[in-house]
């Protein structure tokens, strides 16, 4: 199977020189560009063939390659041939850099060569570069004619430049593949369920499907998914693996899995991508691109730096990237992205694939069957994806900008007028709401006047920013400009899965495009690769997650049992406690007594989870007053990394006194922490974790009701129950761990919940009186001592 090589990738890598420019000011998007392409293509003649596919098989250094791409338009007639390349941007055509034009023309020249190889009777081809300036909708068209001889000379020059890199990449794969073929499972034996999961993943890859897999804690999900995927890449089924997750802790686990296999002889390149705000050098923070030494001349230093980095390292972690970026004076964020092109495993956040505003364009502008996706902790993607496809703007920053612009000569009359117009439009759209005495409203269609005035403001800011000095006012304008562009980009996705939200609080007006169901967008992203495995310890009920996470009609589902002995964990439901909002105060004494009964069973460390911060404080304070002799630690509303570390440090091994930690259900300590063995011997959960009733979640409920789904379950019950599963999952982390899960809410014993319990929760016990809880706790620990 030949290695695929894109025309655009080839051109950009061989011909790009000079500075790394900032792309932050661009409001151009892939969707906007595609829409402009379609509009212009429709205006062409009847012989015009849009999205014309061209390819050429090449053998270079003994390795087969397929050079391929799609020209925007090709016209073939008896009189000759022409190729059109369409580019879009806000920049004025005459202000495009020389290197940018070189890249544009280079792409269409390569298409001309490929076309001449296909149409052997062509001696020359007319090349047309159509440039569309998006903010003014100005079109500039330039032509040139290239002969067969000139096209071949250009092609040979580009290939000669790139052949070193082709050989470099080929050598990496030749080094990699034998080690993959020789690789065996890196542990002496499979845990229960691991082999089955690995086989399911491997079959998913072979059949190019999507697999939704629930693998409880202890299964070893990371190695069970990475190992078979790497094996498939060694067989040429796929070439590049994206391991994507929501948390740094799980990215670290993926790094450790790759490192483990590397210690057993695996030779592949992996990289962990770090967010820009975390990896950017401190001295870059306040510099403009034309002042930043890490950006000036970036592309002139890039290739030697890549060779140096990749020849001397297999695992490209953040410290490694930063070391070589400093050595070669390169921006570390962009350097890691360029290095990722030579990596076999790319570890990073969900947003690199799914977020329409920050996804990796170098990988995800078109479908590539060489890519395969492993989506870890997939349950987190439900809420994260709604956030990715939603956007809001508020009026309060405009108030300040309007006020500042009145007294500053820096603000032009046009900029002042556009700021004032949008601020007035905020008032216009909220006026009916205020007249009715309301503070929030929902409607289906985005307000046209608002979008119109927002576009005019964005255009005015774009024009005004040219050559503006860096002042606090400039920065404030930029902040609002970026927020406005983000809002516009999300507006391009607006359809019947969205609702508009309008709210006013203390005079601050918020207008929000709320995405209720991003499943189609997720499915489109997953379709960009060969297939995907979405997995988590908590993915029940499976049909719910397949629905909301972009599963298709032939998606696969796989659920494993817990690998741990069920008797190591007691699941106790206090059927006599009610925690609905109206019943909380009346049941506080029973809750305190239940927690005290749990911790009296054995000296050790316990975590109690509550569904809201106010409720957490109420229960904590009451517990501390009732039992002042018991040591407690409480999650704070805002905790820095050092505070989180300090909180967890209280949970020591072999404790000599009991510790009760109080934490937020669905919060930072409810998943992603690993308190093994006797660092944690009991977890209590107060309430079934339903999100607080609010207008936005009600909209999600109503939407899914309209789609003939279970709206209340989708919006409230299942997200809440997943938080419960995650919190309870902090308890049993290893084969020798033991402890008690105490569920304090009678709803936990109702069929509405029990039929959703995973297999390893089916031995739960209902308790109807406090004394039954005392007996159950004592019996559990007595049996553990006896065994």
């Amino acid at each position: 199977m030949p290695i695929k090589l894109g025309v655009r990738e080839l051109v950009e890598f061989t011909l790009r020189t000079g500075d790394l420019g900032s792309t932050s000011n661009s409001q151009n998007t892939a969707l906007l560009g595609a829409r402009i392409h379609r509009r212009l293509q429709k205006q062409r003649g009847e012989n015009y063939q849009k999205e014309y596919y061209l390819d050429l098989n090449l053998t270079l250094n003994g390795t087969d390659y397929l050079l391929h791409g799609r020209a925007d338009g090709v016209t073939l007639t008896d009189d000759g041939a022409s190729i059109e390349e369409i580019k879009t941007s806000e920049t004025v055509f005459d202000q495009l850099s020389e290197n940018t034009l070189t890249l544009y023309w280079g792409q269409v020249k390569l298409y001309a060569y490929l076309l001449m190889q296909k149409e052997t009777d062509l001696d020359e081809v007319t090349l047309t570069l159509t440039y569309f300036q998006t903010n003014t909708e100005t079109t500039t068209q330039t032509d040139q004619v290239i002969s067969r001889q000139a096209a071949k000379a250009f092609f040979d020059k580009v290939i000669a430049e790139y052949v070193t890199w082709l050989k470099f990449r080929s050598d990496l794969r030749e080094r990699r593949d034998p080690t993959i073929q020789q690789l065996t499972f890196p542990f002496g034996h499979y845990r229960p369920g691991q082999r089955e999961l690995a086989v399911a993943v491997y079959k998913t890859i072979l059949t190019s499907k999507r697999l939704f897999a629930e693998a409880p804690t202890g299964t070893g999900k990371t190695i069970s998914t990475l190992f078979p995927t790497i094996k498939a890449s060694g067989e040429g089924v796929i070439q590049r693996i994206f391991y994507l997750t929501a948390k740094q802790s799980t990215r670290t686990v993926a790094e450790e899995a790759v490192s483990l296999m590397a210690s057993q002889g695996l030779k592949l390149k992996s990289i962990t991508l770090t967010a820009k705000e975390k990896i950017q050098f401190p001295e870059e923070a306040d510099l403009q691109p034309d002042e930043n030494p890490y950006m000036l001349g970036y592309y002139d230093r890039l290739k030697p730096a890549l060779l140096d980095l990749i020849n001397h390292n297999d695992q490209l972690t953040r410290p490694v990237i930063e070391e070589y970026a400093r050595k070669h004076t390169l921006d570390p964020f962009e350097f890691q992205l360029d290095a990722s092109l030579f990596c076999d495993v790319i570890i990073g956040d969900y947003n690199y694939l799914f977020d329409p505003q920050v996804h990796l364009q170098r990988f995800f502008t078109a479908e590539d069957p060489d890519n395969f996706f492993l989506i870890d902790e997939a349950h987190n993607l439900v809420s994260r994806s709604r956030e990715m496809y939603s956007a809001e703007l508020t009026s309060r920053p405009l108030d300040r900008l309007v006020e500042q612009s009145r007294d500053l000569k820096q603000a032009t009359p046009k900029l002042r007028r556009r700021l004032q117009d949008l601020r007035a439009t905020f008032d216009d759209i909220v006026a009916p709401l205020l007249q009715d005495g309301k503070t929030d409203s929902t409607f289906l269609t985005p307000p046209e006047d608002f979008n119109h005035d927002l576009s005019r403001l964005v255009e005015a800011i774009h024009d005004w920013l040219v050559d503006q000095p860096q002042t606090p006012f400039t920065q404030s304008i930029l902040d609002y400009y970026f927020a406005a562009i983000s809002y516009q980009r999300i507006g391009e996705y607006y359809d019947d899965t969205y609702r508009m939200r309008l709210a006013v609080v203390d005079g601050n007006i918020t207008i929000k495009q709320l995405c209720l169901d991003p499943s189609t967008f997720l499915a489109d992203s997953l379709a960009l690769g060969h297939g995907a495995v979405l997995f988590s310890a908590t993915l029940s009920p499976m049909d719910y997650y397949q629905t909301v996470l972009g599963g298709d009609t032939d998606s696969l589902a796989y659920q494993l049992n817990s690998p741990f002995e069920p008797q190591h964990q007691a699941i106790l439901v206090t059927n006599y406690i009610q925690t609905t909002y109206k019943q909380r105060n009346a049941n506080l004494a029973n809750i305190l007594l239940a927690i005290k009964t749990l911790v009296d069973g054995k000296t050790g460390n316990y975590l109690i989870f509550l569904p809201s911060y106010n409720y957490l404080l109420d229960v904590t304070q009451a517990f501390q007053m009732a039992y002042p002799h018991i040591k407690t630690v409480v999650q704070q509303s805002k905790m820095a990394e050092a505070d989180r570390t300090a909180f967890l440090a209280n949970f020591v091994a072999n404790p000599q006194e009991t510790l009760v930690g109080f934490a937020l259900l669905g919060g930072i300590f409810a998943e992603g922490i690993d308190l093994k063995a006797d660092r944690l011997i009991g977890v209590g959960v107060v309430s079934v974790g339903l999100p607080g009733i609010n207008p936005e979640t009600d909209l999600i409920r109503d939407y899914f009701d309209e789609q003939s789904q279970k709206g209340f379950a989708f919006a409230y019950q299942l997200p809440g129950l997943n938080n419960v599963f995650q919190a309870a999952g902090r308890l049993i982390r290893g084969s020798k761990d033991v402890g008690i899960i105490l569920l304090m809410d009678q709803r936990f014993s109702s069929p509405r919940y029990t039929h959703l319990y995973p297999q390893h929760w089916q031995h739960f016990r209902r308790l109807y009186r406090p004394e039954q809880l005392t007996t159950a706790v004592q019996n559990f620990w007595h049996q553990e001592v006896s065994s």
Side-chain angles (χ1 to χ4, degrees):
M1 182 181 296
I3 298 172
K4 293 183 178 180
L5 173 62
V7 166
R8 183 172 180 175
E9 173 191 343
L10 176 61
V11 167
E12 291 195 353
F13 196 84
T14 56
L15 301 182
R16 191 183 289 277
T17 59
D19 304 338
L20 173 65
S22 173
T23 58
S24 301
N25 291 339
S26 174
Q27 58 174 302
N28 200 22
T29 66
L31 275 179
L32 176 61
R35 198 159 58 233
I36 293 169
H37 276 59
R38 290 194 295 269
R39 186 203 310 177
L40 295 176
Q41 288 166 338
K42 287 180 180 179
Q43 298 172 3
R44 304 304 183 239
E46 61 179 345
N47 292 319
Y48 185 89
Q49 302 178 63
K50 64 181 181 180
E51 305 299 327
Y52 192 91
Y53 182 77
L54 291 162
D55 62 20
L56 180 67
N57 286 298
L58 301 170
T59 301
L60 301 167
N61 300 318
T63 303
D64 293 334
Y65 296 88
L66 179 69
L67 179 63
H68 68 103
R70 290 187 183 276
D72 291 324
V74 170
T75 302
L76 295 170
T77 67
D78 294 339
D79 297 329
S82 65
I83 300 178
E84 180 181 37
E85 184 65 22
I86 301 171
K87 298 296 182 182
T88 63
S89 174
E90 309 101 319
T91 307
V92 176
F93 182 78
D94 292 339
Q95 295 177 2
L96 292 173
S97 68
E98 182 178 344
N99 185 242
T100 297
L101 289 172
T102 297
L103 296 175
Y104 288 173
W105 283 114
Q107 193 170 340
V108 72
K109 285 178 181 179
L110 275 187
Y111 286 142
Y113 178 77
L114 297 183
L115 182 63
M116 289 179 181
Q117 298 307 298
K118 181 178 180 180
E119 305 289 340
T120 56
D121 57 336
L122 289 176
D123 293 324
E124 63 181 28
V125 173
T126 299
L127 311 180
T128 299
L129 175 61
T130 300
Y131 180 78
F132 187 93
Q133 187 179 338
T134 53
N135 57 333
T136 62
E137 299 204 350
T138 303
T139 302
T140 304
Q141 202 166 66
T142 53
D143 298 320
Q144 60 177 272
V145 176
I146 190 169
S147 67
R148 177 178 288 273
Q149 183 179 1
K152 185 179 187 308
F154 178 78
F155 174 81
D156 290 343
K157 174 186 175 183
V158 171
I159 290 296
E161 166 69 19
Y162 199 61
V163 72
T164 301
W165 297 95
L166 290 176
K167 185 176 187 307
F168 181 57
R169 184 176 292 177
S170 175
D171 289 347
L172 290 177
R173 288 177 175 169
E174 287 182 5
R175 170 180 178 261
R176 176 197 73 180
D177 288 350
T179 69
I180 293 177
Q181 291 157 12
Q182 296 165 12
L183 182 69
T184 58
F185 192 69
F187 296 100
H189 63 279
Y190 286 93
R191 294 181 191 172
Q194 273 191 319
R195 181 187 293 275
E196 293 85 347
L197 178 57
V199 169
V201 170
Y202 185 74
K203 289 181 177 178
T204 299
I205 298 170
L206 293 185
T207 56
S208 189
K209 302 283 189 181
R210 292 174 203 164
L211 171 67
F212 290 77
E214 182 178 69
T217 299
T219 305
K221 299 182 291 296
T222 303
I223 196 67
S224 300
T225 53
L226 264 176
F227 174 71
T229 311
I230 289 172
K231 294 293 283 186
S233 70
E235 297 169 2
V237 183
I238 54 175
Q239 292 295 340
R240 188 179 288 115
I241 303 161
F242 289 87
Y243 191 101
L244 305 175
T245 184
K247 296 182 181 297
Q248 181 60 48
S249 58
T250 40
R251 290 194 280 279
T252 301
V253 172
E255 288 179 348
E256 292 170 349
V258 173
S259 180
L260 175 62
M261 288 183 277
S263 71
Q264 300 190 5
L266 177 64
K267 304 290 185 184
L268 58 65
K269 303 295 179 181
S270 68
I271 189 169
T272 303
L273 299 180
T274 305
K276 186 171 186 176
E277 61 271 15
K278 292 185 177 181
I279 199 173
Q280 186 182 52
F281 292 138
E283 58 268 33
E284 292 186 86
D286 299 322
L287 295 178
Q288 295 300 302
D290 57 1
E291 301 172 336
N292 188 337
Y294 297 98
M295 291 185 175
L296 294 172
Y298 175 91
Y299 289 106
D300 300 328
R301 299 186 298 275
L302 175 61
K303 293 173 186 176
L306 286 173
L307 286 172
D308 190 16
L309 170 72
I310 295 170
N311 278 326
H312 292 97
N313 301 274
D314 282 346
Q315 284 190 266
L316 311 183
T317 57
R318 175 181 171 178
V320 172
I321 292 292
E322 290 177 332
E323 175 189 349
Y324 281 81
R326 285 201 177 276
K327 178 180 178 181
H328 294 274
T329 319
L330 297 172
D331 177 75
F333 177 74
E334 292 293 335
F335 185 42
Q336 66 174 351
L337 298 182
D338 286 317
S340 69
L341 291 169
F342 297 91
C343 292
D344 309 292
V345 177
I346 299 173
I347 303 167
D349 190 87
Y350 294 149
N351 59 12
Y352 290 118
L353 172 62
F354 295 110
D355 193 321
Q357 306 203 58
V358 299
H359 74 276
L360 298 177
Q361 292 192 16
R362 66 195 66 209
F363 293 117
F364 304 132
T365 54
E367 182 180 345
D368 187 347
D370 283 344
N371 295 334
F372 193 82
F373 308 126
L374 297 176
I375 313 299
D376 195 359
E377 303 294 343
H379 64 276
N380 283 309
L381 189 55
V382 180
S383 58
R384 276 285 300 275
S385 59
R386 285 199 182 103
E387 295 171 4
M388 291 174 188
Y389 283 92
S390 299
E392 67 180 31
L393 276 177
T394 60
S395 66
R396 185 63 49 79
L398 269 180
D399 294 334
R400 292 190 289 268
L401 291 173
V402 169
E403 184 65 29
Q404 291 171 342
S405 69
R406 291 194 181 110
D407 303 321
L408 288 175
K409 293 181 179 179
Q410 187 183 359
T412 62
K414 180 180 178 180
L415 179 62
R416 291 191 193 101
R417 188 166 61 253
R418 295 293 181 251
L419 290 168
Q420 292 167 356
D421 287 347
L422 184 62
R423 183 61 187 86
T425 303
F426 265 107
D427 285 336
D428 290 343
I429 62 175
V430 83
L433 188 68
L434 298 178
Q435 289 171 3
D436 292 340
K438 298 179 180 179
T439 58
D440 67 87
S441 179
T442 300
F443 43 100
L444 294 174
T445 308
E448 291 185 11
D449 289 346
F450 183 86
N451 288 344
H452 173 73
D453 287 341
L454 180 64
S455 295
R456 293 205 302 173
L457 175 60
V458 167
E459 180 183 337
I461 294 176
H462 180 271
D463 295 340
W464 175 84
L465 282 172
V466 178
D467 298 326
Q468 284 296 320
Q470 283 300 301
T471 68
F473 179 68
T474 304
Q475 187 57 54
S476 297
I477 287 285
L478 269 174
D479 290 342
Y480 204 77
Y481 178 62
F482 292 146
I485 288 173
S486 175
Y487 183 91
Q488 287 183 317
R489 286 174 172 169
I490 293 303
E492 295 174 1
Y493 293 88
Y494 197 97
D495 60 13
D496 59 5
T497 66
Y498 278 80
R499 298 292 183 271
M500 294 300 305
R501 288 280 299 152
L502 183 64
V504 56
V505 179
D506 296 330
N508 186 32
I509 306 165
T510 299
I511 185 167
K512 181 175 184 178
Q513 300 172 119
L514 174 65
C515 182
L516 306 175
D517 178 15
S519 59
T520 298
F521 306 131
L522 297 179
D524 290 343
S525 294
L526 294 172
L528 294 172
H530 180 89
V533 177
L534 298 92
F535 56 101
S536 171
T538 57
L539 220 56
S540 295
M542 186 66 73
D543 57 351
Y544 161 71
Y545 285 100
Q546 287 180 297
T547 299
V548 297
L549 292 179
D552 50 27
T553 54
D554 61 349
S555 292
L556 308 174
Y558 192 74
Q559 291 179 286
L560 283 78
N561 292 327
S562 171
F564 304 133
E565 295 293 335
Q567 62 267 28
H568 286 186
Q569 173 178 272
I571 300 175
L572 308 177
V573 179
T574 57
N575 217 47
Y576 54 88
I577 291 178
Q578 299 181 48
T579 67
T580 57
Y581 189 76
K582 292 181 179 180
Q583 296 292 331
R584 285 180 181 178
N585 289 336
N587 281 262
L588 180 59
N590 275 335
I591 292 171
L592 299 180
L593 180 59
I595 297 172
K596 177 66 163 49
T597 302
L598 172 67
V599 305
D600 278 350
K602 183 178 180 181
T603 299
N605 301 322
Y606 297 83
L607 264 175
I608 308 300
F609 292 96
L610 295 107
S612 72
Y613 192 66
N614 287 337
Y615 194 20
L616 182 150
L617 292 181
D618 290 344
V619 173
T620 301
Q621 291 168 2
F623 186 85
Q624 290 169 334
M625 290 181 63
Y627 310 108
H629 62 285
I630 298 179
K631 182 181 177 182
T632 59
V633 59
V634 186
Q635 178 180 341
Q636 302 303 310
S637 60
K638 294 181 180 179
M639 301 181 76
E641 189 63 37
D643 299 324
R644 300 179 189 184
T645 301
F647 180 93
L648 294 174
N650 289 286
F651 293 80
V652 298
N654 192 28
Q656 300 305 302
E657 64 174 330
T658 289
L659 170 73
V660 181
F662 290 89
L664 190 63
L665 190 62
I668 54 176
F669 301 117
E671 62 176 293
I673 65 168
D674 214 11
L675 300 173
K676 292 184 177 179
D678 61 357
R679 290 188 65 194
L680 186 68
I681 63 169
V683 168
V685 180
V686 180
S687 93
V688 292
L690 295 179
I693 301 295
N694 64 86
E696 291 193 359
T697 310
D698 281 349
L699 288 173
I700 297 171
R701 177 199 62 199
D702 296 343
Y703 169 84
F704 281 107
D705 277 340
E706 293 168 3
Q707 305 302 311
S708 300
Q709 300 285 356
K710 299 175 181 178
F712 178 80
F714 276 34
Y716 286 100
Q717 182 190 14
L718 297 177
L721 187 57
N722 188 275
N723 288 336
V724 172
F725 289 155
Q726 284 292 320
R730 298 314 93 207
L731 182 62
I732 305 297
R733 311 299 296 174
S735 60
K736 296 183 179 180
D737 293 4
V738 295
I740 297 173
I741 294 172
L742 179 61
L743 303 177
M744 289 170 273
D745 192 310
Q746 66 177 15
R747 287 173 290 183
F748 279 120
S749 64
S750 70
R752 187 170 193 171
Y753 281 88
T754 58
H755 87 276
L756 298 172
Y757 287 176
Q759 182 63 36
H760 60 284
W761 273 39
Q762 295 305 315
H763 64 288
F764 74 93
R765 287 187 57 194
R766 294 181 177 90
L767 305 173
Y768 297 93
R769 297 184 303 280
E771 53 269 28
Q772 286 184 311
L773 175 60
T774 302
T775 302
V777 170
Q778 292 175 347
N779 287 345
F780 175 81
W781 290 119
H782 177 73
Q783 291 169 3
E784 284 300 319
V785 171
S786 302
S787 61

